[in-house]
Amino acid sequence: MVLLTWIAEVADEPLVLEPADRRVEWETNTWSLGTADEDRSSLSVADVVAAFERTAAAIRERIRDLGFSGVATFYVWHDKQAGQLRCSTGSVPRDALPFRGSYVASDDLGPVVEGFLADSEPGFIAWSDLDDAQSLSEQTETEPEIKPLGVWVSSVGASH
């Protein structure tokens, strides 16, 4: 269960909380976690969720020990394009995470992990799932529907 070990190790990685420099936070505090197909099939949603919850609790303790008094959030999402679970910690509230597109913050990590574990071809997006330019140009007034990214959030700062 290499993935569970990697999730646990995130809690011990370098951690930077620098509200004035979000780029340094993002570069230091963001991790990409993947797994081999055989490992993926042997994992349960409950085990992965529990591992992330333990990691969030450990990060909360570290932040308290550092004396950081601001808002901080630990968050997890499934990057379908890369076929990975990603997680990050930032000095941002749950409604201001640094995603370019829209996202839905949730207290339920289960659906994010389920999507990752059910991904039979991680990092592969079928041609049929991509919009072609012709069909997009035929849509005159309606924008293509882009589903917001599901993101699990856990408050780990002083304001939780």
Side-chain angles (χ1 to χ4, degrees), residues 53 55-65 154-157 160:
E53 288 173 342
T55 295
I59 289 172
R60 189 176 298 115
E61 289 295 317
R62 283 187 64 195
I63 289 172
R64 187 172 25 241
D65 292 347
S154 178
S155 177
V156 292
H160 67 276

Side-chain angles (χ1 to χ4, degrees), residues 24-94:
V24 168
E25 277 188 357
W26 178 260
E27 290 172 355
T28 305
N29 303 343
T30 303
W31 302 275
S32 301
L33 308 166
T35 186
D37 290 342
E38 57 273 5
D39 197 21
R40 183 183 303 257
S41 62
S42 65
L43 289 165
S44 75
V45 171
D47 288 343
V48 176
V49 167
F52 274 118
E53 288 173 342
R54 285 189 300 273
T55 295
I59 289 172
R60 189 176 298 115
E61 289 295 317
R62 283 187 64 195
I63 289 172
R64 187 172 25 241
D65 292 347
L66 289 170
F68 181 78
S69 60
V71 171
T73 303
F74 176 70
Y75 51 103
V76 178
W77 69 100
H78 174 204
D79 181 334
K80 292 177 184 170
Q81 191 170 3
Q84 298 173 326
L85 282 172
R86 302 242 170 131
C87 61
S88 189
T89 304
S91 59
V92 293
R94 67 187 287 144

